[in-house]
Amino acid sequence: HPAAPPGDSDKAIALAIRAVNLSNRTDAAAFDALAAAYARAQRFDDAVSAVSSALTIGERTLSPGDLEDIQKRRALYQNRRPYTQEIR
């Protein structure tokens, strides 16, 4: 995928931070989205931190399959690779 224009990444990060804050930092999906936005912006250390929060929260709230998916994304970010999803 071509790199997103810088403004797109900044907007995605801002929206994801807003979602995290609106959830009072209790929504694993919001942290997962924030991690993906950080990784897209090449901010992999921030992505690993956010996805780790998603996993901590998700241990109480997500299905095993969802946790496994988030763990796979964490491995991508630890290897300095963004998460991409094909549109069908």
Side-chain angles (χ1 to χ4, degrees):
H1 296 291
D8 289 351
S9 294
D10 293 343
K11 184 175 181 180
I13 290 167
L15 289 172
I17 288 171
R18 185 164 187 251
V20 166
N21 291 335
L22 286 172
S23 77
N24 291 319
R25 304 179 66 81
T26 61
D27 187 337
F31 276 103
D32 189 30
L34 178 58
Y38 279 141
R40 182 72 178 188
Q42 306 293 305
R43 293 175 55 180
F44 295 106
D45 293 336
D46 292 327
V48 170
S49 177
V51 81
S52 295
S53 293
L55 286 167
T56 299
I57 294 165
E59 288 174 352
R60 300 184 309 271
T61 60
L62 297 177
S63 71
D66 289 339
L67 284 172
E68 184 179 331
D69 290 343
I70 294 173
Q71 289 168 339
K72 289 176 184 177
R73 288 190 283 277
R74 180 177 57 184
L76 285 173
Y77 308 149
Q78 289 171 329
N79 288 305
R80 310 196 75 71
R81 295 180 54 208
Y83 170 70
T84 57
Q85 183 176 3
E86 290 185 27
I87 299 173
R88 296 179 187 184

